[in-house]
Amino acid sequence: MPIKGQKNAQKTQKSDSPVQQANEGAMLTADASEANQASVSSELVSHPDVMSAIKSMQTDFASRFDSLLNAIRGVQNEIQLIATRVSQTEDRIGNNEDDIATLKKDNCTLKGELEALTRKVDDLENRSRRSNLRLVGLPEKAEGRDMCSFLVKWIPEVLGTVSFPGPLIIERAHRIGRPPEADSAATGPAPRPRAVVMKFLNYADKTRVMRAAREMGTVLYEGKKVMFFPDISSELLKQRKTYDPVKKLLASFSIPDLRFGIIHPAKLLVTHKGKRHVFDNASQANVFAQQFKEEGGYP
């Protein structure tokens, strides 16, 4: 008869036998797998073509990987170079913007100075011509050989000696431009005679001539109309010409006591019934002329 402790040990051995069997089976499976891998490895090692292909793949992969790394390094270098150049470009653009701002400021200053100097030069030019008169319409060769002697004698005769208490003194006088006969290609009607510019020694004599010519209205030389004008610069002449439309409009009113004219340097003076009005630009004068027309007198 078995002992009680032995029976319990036998029961324990019987109860543990399935687990042990499973572990033993797993160990056997692992051993079998390792054995299979070892056998496969031994077979691969023993096959020279397979090993050669593997080595070739490894070499090809290594070369491609190296080329990829080199390409990445090249891209990185180019990116760094581009970043450096972009930074330099930004600095240069910033410097250029600062220089442009400075140049714009200087340009505005120089422009203002140039305009001021231009006005001064034009004013000086017109001041140097204050004693000059321009005679338009005098036929060619009417003066003979001495223009000054002709004008000193002819002007008092045609304008009246009463306006000239003393003899006129003309420093110099000459025609402007090329003689008409110098242009051999000119055809058709006779060309207009060249204008005559004369310089008086005294400004008062020039004023007397202008006043006498204005009072006479129409001045003739051998039946041909001649006109006296102040000698001014081309820039001032342009400014005065801006009043021409207004002057034509005022002249169309046909009002006997309406007087208008240009005063120095380029202002329009309108006089009506003893009232005077001076305009600094043509737009103001045009507004005044329209109101004058509508209201029939000073607005």
Side-chain angles (χ1 to χ4, degrees), residues 57-245:
M57 291 176 62
Q58 290 177 345
T59 304
D60 183 59
F61 179 78
S63 62
R64 293 187 179 184
F65 186 74
D66 292 339
S67 63
L68 180 61
L69 289 178
N70 293 330
I72 292 173
R73 293 191 187 98
V75 172
Q76 290 176 344
N77 294 332
E78 290 180 358
I79 291 175
Q80 292 178 355
L81 179 61
I82 291 173
T84 303
R85 295 182 65 179
V86 168
S87 178
Q88 294 175 353
T89 303
E90 290 178 348
D91 294 338
R92 291 179 180 178
I93 292 174
N95 294 332
N96 290 336
E97 289 178 348
D98 295 339
D99 294 340
I100 290 172
T102 304
L103 290 175
K104 285 183 177 180
K105 183 177 179 180
D106 295 342
N107 185 43
C108 293
T109 303
L110 293 175
K111 184 178 179 181
E113 293 178 355
L114 178 61
E115 291 176 352
L117 291 175
T118 302
R119 289 192 297 269
K120 287 183 178 180
V121 170
D122 188 67
D123 181 66
L124 291 173
E125 181 180 355
N126 288 292
R127 288 180 183 274
S128 67
R129 297 184 178 190
R130 293 193 69 181
S131 298
N132 294 3
L133 273 182
R134 186 182 294 259
L135 179 61
V136 178
L138 183 68
E140 291 284 342
K141 300 181 180 180
E143 67 277 9
R145 294 185 177 182
D146 191 348
M147 178 67 76
C148 291
S149 299
F150 168 78
L151 293 174
V152 168
K153 181 181 179 181
W154 174 74
I155 289 176
E157 291 178 355
V158 71
L159 296 180
T161 56
V162 179
S163 302
F164 306 98
L168 294 177
I169 301 177
I170 299 178
E171 290 186 349
R172 56 183 179 271
H174 60 87
R175 291 187 182 269
I176 301 174
R178 299 172 56 189
E181 57 270 20
D183 190 0
S184 58
T187 58
R192 296 179 57 183
R194 294 172 295 164
V196 178
V197 174
M198 63 190 83
K199 179 177 176 57
F200 292 87
L201 178 62
N202 299 318
Y203 175 77
D205 290 340
K206 176 239 183 172
T207 305
R208 292 189 186 98
V209 172
M210 288 293 297
R211 184 183 300 113
R214 189 181 302 111
E215 291 176 354
M216 182 172 289
T218 301
V219 181
L220 301 176
Y221 177 83
E222 296 182 352
K224 296 181 180 180
K225 185 178 179 180
V226 295
M227 294 174 289
F228 291 88
F229 295 99
D231 184 36
I232 58 178
S233 65
S234 59
E235 185 64 28
L236 185 57
L237 182 61
K238 291 179 182 178
Q239 296 178 17
R240 292 192 172 193
K241 281 185 177 296
T242 58
Y243 293 103
D244 288 349

